[in-house]
Amino acid sequence: MNARQLKHFLTVAETLHFGRAAELLGMTQPPLSQSIMSLEQELGAPLFLRSRRHVELTPFGAQWAPHVASAIADLETLPEIAARLIEGRAGSLSLSFVSTADYSVLPVLVHRFRQLYPDVNLSLTEATSDKQTAALSNGVGHAGIIIPPNRERLPQEFFYRRLIREPLVAAVPESWINEKRLNPVGGQLKAEDVIASPLIVFPRDAAPLFHDLVTEYYAARGASADVIQHAIQMQTIISLVSAGMGIALVPRSLRHLARTGVRYIDLEGAAPELETGLIWRRDDNSSTLANLLELVEEMKLD
């Protein structure tokens, strides 16, 4: 059976008159009767009881008609569904992100995207930059918010767009300040206090740019970092600071991660700046991705 036959059946079922149904369908009665007979043969049961003056649905035909109407209604929505998919107003978008983005660009970007495209299934996955790049390279996901490596080391298969640059601040145990172990001056932490404190930092293989940005802060002052612990989740780093294990140099937006026992303090002098950006495959022509990229440009996040 096909959609044309099903529409023939519904029209006759609604009018209970082959002649009137044929007029509504813009056809003559004989081919309409033949279409219904062919459908009945395929089903193996009659749909109508016919006489010279009367047509009525069989019990089977009456029960089957609502199912046919539902199927036809679904068919008629297919052009609109196709248009929504082509325009990226429906479908799916898979976006991964580093933990630092959860406190800066991610919330505002996700909120605005959901406002504009509520019918798109937006899937979010937290992962380190190296894992995001590997997944995207293998065709998994549409885009990722990463802390980029050196621009020259980004694989050629990707496009990259900067989202935000923000200075690093020191996350320090509040108890150390109360005990005078650290002495902020004018709301800033002196470089010698930073250098003298044990450090908690991302491992280099997970975020080379971030790791190097922090360690180069020490090197520029003739010192090396006393790394006491590595951690790949920003929440874990801040928890370890709260426990008094050490300090951490983190993006300024981490101030939004309030944690008992942790104080965020500006660094004395010019602070290193961390870049966060969006990466996606050059060959990905997904409409939902195109809408995300357009939104990023409109929002001017950097």
Side-chain angles (χ1 to χ4, degrees):
M1 67 187 73
N2 54 53
R4 185 168 175 269
Q5 282 180 302
L6 296 177
K7 288 180 180 179
H8 291 172
F9 163 66
L10 279 183
T11 307
V12 177
E14 290 166 359
T15 61
L16 295 178
H17 194 286
F18 275 81
R20 195 173 304 122
E23 287 182 27
L24 291 172
L25 291 165
M27 61 191 299
T28 59
Q29 185 172 333
L32 174 60
S33 297
Q34 182 59 43
S35 176
I36 297 297
M37 290 175 61
S38 175
L39 184 58
E40 289 175 324
Q41 288 173 2
E42 184 172 350
L43 292 170
L47 294 166
F48 297 99
L49 297 174
R50 307 169 179 84
S51 68
R52 284 178 174 250
R53 296 184 178 181
H54 185 70
V55 175
E56 66 177 284
L57 285 161
T58 63
F60 160 63
Q63 293 179 74
W64 195 50
H67 297 282
V68 175
S70 177
I72 293 298
D74 287 341
L75 284 173
E76 290 175 347
T77 66
L78 289 179
E80 169 61 17
I81 292 173
R84 292 171 64 80
L85 290 169
I86 290 169
E87 295 167 5
R89 292 182 289 120
S92 63
L93 177 69
S94 178
L95 178 65
S96 53
F97 62 96
V98 290
S99 60
T100 53
D102 200 16
Y103 305 96
S104 56
V105 297
L106 184 69
V108 64
L109 184 60
V110 168
H111 176 71
R112 185 60 179 149
F113 188 87
R114 287 198 182 279
Q115 279 187 322
L116 293 174
Y117 307 104
D119 295 330
V120 171
N121 179 24
L122 179 58
S123 174
L124 299 172
T125 304
E126 183 178 339
T128 55
S129 299
D130 57 327
K131 293 187 181 301
Q132 290 187 61
T133 304
L136 287 167
S137 185
N138 290 326
V140 178
H142 293 100
I145 300 176
I146 67 169
I147 297 170
N150 185 289
R151 290 290 183 87
E152 286 71 28
R153 294 205 305 247
L154 272 176
Q156 288 298 310
E157 64 186 295
F158 293 117
F159 282 122
Y160 174 83
R161 201 272 191 197
R162 188 177 76 191
L163 295 177
I164 188 174
R165 284 179 64 89
E166 55 182 328
L168 299 185
V169 300
V172 305
E174 192 166 30
S175 60
W176 289 13
I177 297 174
N178 296 336
E179 297 165 3
K180 304 301 182 182
R181 183 171 174 178
L182 295 176
N183 297 290
V185 177
Q188 295 183 329
L189 192 63
K190 294 182 293 184
E192 54 262 37
D193 281 346
V194 175
I195 291 169
S197 301
L199 179 71
I200 305 162
V201 69
F202 269 93
R204 192 176 190 283
D205 57 351
L209 180 67
F210 194 1
H211 183 278
D212 292 350
L213 196 64
V214 171
T215 55
E216 286 168 7
Y217 173 85
Y218 290 78
R221 290 155 180 81
S224 59
D226 175 20
V227 177
I228 193 170
Q229 182 67 48
H230 290 101
I232 63 171
Q233 298 294 331
M234 191 54 68
Q235 297 92 328
T236 302
I237 289 176
I238 298 303
S239 291
L240 295 176
V241 171
S242 175
M245 180 174 285
I247 71 169
L249 300 187
V250 299
R252 183 171 57 190
S253 58
L254 258 290
R255 294 181 189 273
H256 297 134
L257 176 55
R259 184 65 57 84
T260 301
V262 176
R263 178 108 44 103
Y264 298 98
I265 306 174
D266 291 337
L267 297 174
E268 181 183 48
E273 290 191 336
L274 180 69
E275 180 173 320
T276 303
L278 190 70
I279 191 173
W280 68 98
R281 292 186 302 275
R282 291 176 181 269
D283 62 357
D284 191 337
N285 298 314
S286 305
S287 299
T288 50
L289 173 60
N291 288 341
L292 175 69
L293 298 177
E294 182 178 349
L295 176 59
V296 166
E297 294 301 324
E298 290 175 358
M299 293 180 70
K300 302 184 185 303
L301 293 169
D302 61 349

